[in-house]
Amino acid sequence: MTITALQTGHIGLNVTDLGRSRGFYQQVFDFEVLGEGKEPGREFAFLGRDGKLLVTLWQQSEGRFATGSPGLHHLSFQVESIDEVREAERVLRELAVTFHHEGVVPHGEGADSGGIFFTDPDGIRLEIYAPSGAGAAEAPTTGAPTCGFF
C-alpha cells in the first residue's frame, strides 16, 4: 500500500493547568475553542481555526516539559509572512515569555526562512516561522539549525 497526501493532523499536548494553557494558545495563535471537557480528572480543550482541529490540550501531567527525555523536541507553526512572526513576538513579549534566541532569527546561516523560538507555560518548546524574510538577521548558531534549540 502506498500512502498518498500524508499530512499532520492535530497535535496533542499534556499540560498542567488547562485554563492557563488554553488562554496562552488562544492569545498567541488566535485559536478558538472547538470543544472541551470539564469533568474533574478528564479536562481537555480542542483548539483550532475555521472549524479545523489543530491542537488538543490534556490536563494530564505535573511538572515541566522534559527536554532531556526522548519524545517531542519542539512544535513549529508556519505563518505566511515575517510580519506575522513579528506580531506573534509582540504578543509573546506582552505575556513576558522567555525566548530561546533574541528576536526573529533565520533557521541557519544563509537561510531566509526563520522566526521566533520560545516556550509555553509548561516549558514545551515552540517555534513560529515564515518561509522568507528572516535572512537580514544573523543566525544565532553556527553549523547547526536554529530550530535545534542549541
Side-chain angles (χ1 to χ4, degrees):
M1 178 174 101
T2 302
I3 297 174
T4 60
L6 182 65
Q7 59 182 312
T8 301
H10 69 276
I11 298 159
L13 300 175
N14 280 338
V15 299
T16 58
D17 181 326
L18 183 63
R20 177 183 68 176
S21 292
R22 182 180 55 235
F24 174 84
Y25 282 88
Q26 285 182 285
Q27 281 187 272
V28 175
F29 297 100
D30 199 27
F31 287 148
E32 59 192 63
V33 177
L34 302 176
E36 59 187 329
K38 297 180 180 181
E39 181 183 330
R42 298 179 71 170
E43 294 97 345
F44 64 88
F46 293 163
L47 306 177
R49 285 184 167 184
D50 302 320
K52 181 180 179 184
L53 178 62
L54 298 169
V55 172
T56 60
L57 302 175
W58 305 93
Q59 186 168 305
Q60 297 179 342
S61 62
E62 296 177 1
R64 299 265 308 152
F65 178 71
T67 60
S69 297
L72 178 71
H73 183 272
H74 75 284
L75 296 179
S76 176
F77 294 91
Q78 180 179 330
V79 296
E80 291 184 7
S81 73
I82 208 69
D83 290 336
E84 290 175 276
V85 174
R86 287 194 173 92
E87 177 58 20
E89 178 186 17
R90 184 192 64 73
V91 170
L92 289 162
R93 290 201 187 280
E94 287 177 4
L95 294 172
V97 168
T98 301
F99 288 83
H100 191 74
H101 305 295
E102 186 54 39
V104 176
V105 296
H107 278 127
E109 299 164 291
D112 195 36
S113 65
I116 52 177
F117 302 84
F118 56 98
T119 58
D120 82 350
D122 287 304
I124 297 170
R125 297 184 291 197
L126 301 171
E127 168 188 2
I128 299 175
Y129 81 97
S132 63
E138 187 174 319
T141 307
T142 57
T146 304
C147 61
F149 284 78
F150 295 109

